[in-house]
Amino acid sequence: MEELELGQATIVYEDSEDGVVEETVDNEQLVYARDHWMVKMDSDEQGNDLMYQIPAQRVYHVRRNVQQFEDEARSVRHQVENIAKDLQRKLPMGGDGRTRHRGGSQQEPHEIPVEESAESDREREAGP
């Protein structure tokens, strides 16, 4: 059995016309959704992907290069961490409950007293 090229996936499935078929495509061209494996075959004039759907029960196996996915996952995680750090710098509240001001200085939070409702207001809220 030969090694898969980096970023490639091979699907082996039963085709009603051709018998057992083995297709090797780029990883991005093979997805699993709604109990079907979908293989991108081409694009139409508008640039829409044309997908060949293979019911999961007709698929014998799929081989993928796992390292490619691990590298992509690390890249996505790195991007998310950078976005989170950027948001932390821009958000007005820090994680410690102190208010941050544009100059970077922090002030302690202060309480705003809420006056008690008058007795007649409470009766009105409670109803008859």
Side-chain angles (χ1 to χ4, degrees), residues 81-128:
E81 287 172 348
N82 285 341
I83 290 169
K85 287 176 187 175
D86 191 40
L87 285 174
Q88 285 175 337
R89 286 191 296 269
K90 292 179 180 179
L91 289 176
M93 292 296 290
D96 60 359
R98 298 181 197 195
T99 304
R100 289 188 180 172
H101 296 280
R102 288 189 180 186
S105 64
Q106 295 183 347
Q107 292 181 345
E108 291 296 323
H110 62 277
E111 290 185 29
I112 300 174
V114 178
E115 295 180 18
E116 288 287 326
S117 299
E119 190 66 35
S120 60
D121 289 341
R122 285 192 209 139
E123 290 172 2
R124 214 174 334 176
E125 290 173 3

Side-chain angles (χ1 to χ4, degrees), residues 40-51:
K40 179 183 173 191
M41 301 307 277
D42 205 355
S43 298
D44 62 14
E45 294 92 30
Q46 291 83 28
N48 299 314
D49 292 339
L50 299 175
M51 307 294 286

Side-chain angles (χ1 to χ4, degrees), residues 5-75:
E5 295 178 27
L6 186 63
Q8 298 274 302
T10 299
I11 182 169
V12 178
Y13 63 95
E14 182 77 33
D15 184 65
S16 58
E17 296 175 11
D18 299 325
V20 177
V21 176
E22 182 172 320
E23 300 241 5
T24 300
V25 296
D26 290 337
N27 268 323
E28 305 86 52
Q29 295 178 309
L30 180 66
V31 297
Y32 183 81
R34 299 185 312 264
D35 295 329
H36 285 75
W37 283 94
M38 293 179 253
V39 182
K40 179 183 173 191
M41 301 307 277
D42 205 355
S43 298
D44 62 14
E45 294 92 30
Q46 291 83 28
N48 299 314
D49 292 339
L50 299 175
M51 307 294 286
Y52 179 65
Q53 294 188 16
I54 308 162
Q57 64 269 20
R58 288 188 13 217
V59 175
Y60 293 114
H61 63 269
V62 174
R63 292 188 306 266
R64 291 189 188 252
N65 183 297
V66 176
Q67 186 63 42
Q68 172 85 9
F69 289 123
E70 289 174 356
D71 292 344
E72 288 176 17
R74 267 190 231 107
S75 175

